[in-house]
Amino acid sequence: MPENTLLVPVLDPHESYLVSIGSHPHPHRILGPHHLDAGVLVRVLRPLAESVTLIIETGARLSMAHVGNGIWEALAIIEPGAYSVEATYEGGSPWTTDDPYRFWPTVGEVDLYLFGEGRHEELWRVLGSHVKEQQGVLGTSFAVWAPHAGAVRVKGDFNGWYGVSHALRRLDGNGVWELFVPGLTEGTYKYELLTADGRWVERADPMARQAETPPQTASVITRAQHTWDDEAWMRKRASVEPSSQAMSVYELHVGSWRPGLSYRDLADQLIEYVSDLGFTHVEFMPLAEHPFGGSWGYQVSGYYAPTSRFGSPDDLRYLIDRLHQADIGVIMDWVPGHFPKDEWALAKFDGQPLYEHSDPRLGEQPDWGTLVFNFGDSQVRNFLVANALYWLEEFHIDGLRVDAVASMLYLDYSREEGQWVPNRFGGRENLEAISFLQEANATAYKRSPGIVMIAEESTSFPGVSRPTSEGGLGFGMKWNMGWMHDSLEYIQRDSLYRSYHHNEITFSFVYAFSENFLLPISHDEVVHGKGSLIGKMPGDDWQKRANLRAYLAFMWGHPGKQLLFMGSEFGQPSEWSEQRGLDWWILDQPTHQGIHALVKSLNTSYRAERALWDHDFDTDGFEWIEGGAAEQSVVAFLRKSDDGGKIAVLANFSGQPVTQRLGLPVSGVWTEILNTDAEAYGGSGVGNLGSVTATDDPWGGRPASAEVQLPPLGVIWLRLES
């Protein structure tokens, strides 16, 4: 026996066995360098090796002794520094590698403390995989939250998908595990976790910033290398309030807008198209990684990974950068309410419910067959809040549209009696989810001035778009689902019968300023048997197109911002499907070119006329002109701006032209800046020869009035000339 072995602590056989199978929760206690009075003891795991040599920084070589279960050790009298390990196997050449277990933890005490408190606002910089330099060596750090796991290993193409030699150490009581792998800068990987009942389960990294292209499910080591060139946009964004700006949003599904395009391909074609139409923003349906394309991205498996279907994370950065340089804002759908049950992703991540609530009455969403996040857990909330910040900060996203907020707010959402658990006060509100939404919104606005958080919320829950300081949820805007439902009900009716349902088109004005509303005609309205937007319209083909043009002009004139789903801007005849592209061929027809031209005119006039957006969310920007003309199916109102601008929006939803005297606030010339019945848009050309002149003849309680010709199934906009 060598003399110095008396100075080396004896290795516990059970612990060495656990290390040898990658099941030790603290492998660094056994492996790597250990300072003793006699020197530095180095242990390495090299199963099946015939001989192992420690090569220390000075170049000296020390033979290592096998002490059982594939563990080898050597005592260096001096600090070995950046040592390497040479192993020889039967019939093979020597294999020299660095040692993962010689490095200090890559997760600091402050990071662990903040995550333990659920307050780490930059969690993506800590957990997940990161290419970085440690002790002068470039490699990849891995860190994962798995509090119920007995051991964690990482495997990938860098170790032949055999994770025993790369077991992570548990750093704290909250269950953060960590390992730095020197020399590793690219590749794919997954985690293996030892469950409490003794099973090994395989999982993708919840904090991975890139994933393999589905149906492959491994995580990908990545590092951002894109150089941003949108400083002007970001400065402008931070200096303005979105609610007081023009906002017309073009919603699209990347995979079916023009199939086959990558993020980089999309940059040229989408920018040209959207810029020509004049939309201020695009809204992407969810771009976070998702296993099933048919979910459209609403069942997310990789919350921090842009879907690889269209390229790398840097490719997406390039697309957003280019959009900003073209003066187009970017909104993205975000889905923090639920996630799929795929066993390789978040579900029972470490063998037990972790991200989801353990009680199925709280942790499952029956409508979609998905799991619901445990909003009461501080680490789960941290995961989600940081995820919102990640997209806003790392990808310069200008706003998040939060999906299915109503499903988060109510404990009894889509549940029968006995299938849900009341809150601590006996009510149906999900207090933990409410608190989470308030935290996410307040933190996002604090860190990213000028962004907008938008709620898809379908109930009358109070204060959705009110500040958290006033007890609201803190969203900047809310989708006006009531307007969408009522106006679509109305516009689908034959014009002969609309006079009996006049309240459907006017009711939205009753509550128009109760929230900061965005008016959506989204993907949900043109799928699953609902037909296309033009397909909803009654009458023959001419009437369908006229109805669509009138409806869009009414929408653009109505208080609130606007969102229109792709294809509706040119009257796509078929229902949308993610499996095919839009009906671009229809744009060869002049009648559909007319609809396309109208949308371009709507955006041009809308953006130019401050009165149409200056006071979208308060009554200072709105006055009725005529709301009760049910028999004529006429709706007329005034939009106003602080600079004195006035736009009269006059809609005739009957099938006949109407000549009507309307009261106006000021006499003078009112220019017809838009007429949906113009021949250029495919209309019949009924109008007012470019303008009307209001005289000082009181009408309808107003000091001036004008006789106006309203086209059938048409909307005109009149601007007061100074």
Side-chain angles (χ1 to χ4, degrees), residues 609-720:
E609 301 297 338
R610 185 174 170 182
L612 290 169
W613 45 262
D614 196 19
H615 286 281
D616 271 326
F617 304 144
D618 64 75
T619 55
D620 289 346
F622 175 84
E623 286 183 27
W624 274 115
I625 294 175
E626 179 58 80
E631 187 175 345
Q632 295 84 12
S633 298
V634 168
V635 178
F637 53 89
L638 199 67
R639 301 297 309 277
K640 303 180 294 181
S641 61
D642 285 340
D643 61 4
K646 292 179 175 60
I647 301 290
V649 178
L650 315 176
N652 173 20
F653 290 112
S654 75
Q656 302 297 323
V658 172
T659 301
Q660 188 160 343
R661 179 164 290 276
L662 295 170
L664 291 169
V666 180
S667 61
V669 175
W670 291 71
T671 301
E672 190 177 85
I673 61 171
L674 183 90
N675 183 341
T676 65
D677 195 48
E679 293 179 0
Y681 306 137
S684 58
V686 175
N688 298 277
L689 300 178
S691 67
V692 300
T693 299
T695 58
D696 291 321
D697 296 303
W699 189 270
R702 294 184 175 276
S705 64
E707 194 168 87
V708 182
Q709 180 82 357
L710 301 180
L713 304 175
V715 171
I716 64 174
W717 291 356
L718 300 177
R719 179 183 63 210
L720 174 65

Side-chain angles (χ1 to χ4, degrees), residues 297-334:
Y298 290 98
Q299 295 196 7
V300 179
S301 54
Y303 275 81
Y304 287 79
T307 179
S308 294
R309 290 170 173 84
F310 315 113
S312 71
D314 270 353
D315 293 335
L316 177 58
R317 290 183 177 95
Y318 172 84
L319 169 60
I320 295 168
D321 198 350
R322 288 281 310 280
L323 284 162
H324 284 171
Q325 293 171 48
D327 209 33
I328 299 169
V330 180
I331 299 168
M332 188 187 77
D333 280 12
W334 185 49

Side-chain angles (χ1 to χ4, degrees), residues 347-361:
K348 291 186 177 179
F349 180 74
D350 55 8
Q352 300 179 41
L354 182 62
Y355 290 92
E356 69 271 36
H357 201 287
S358 58
D359 188 333
R361 295 173 298 175

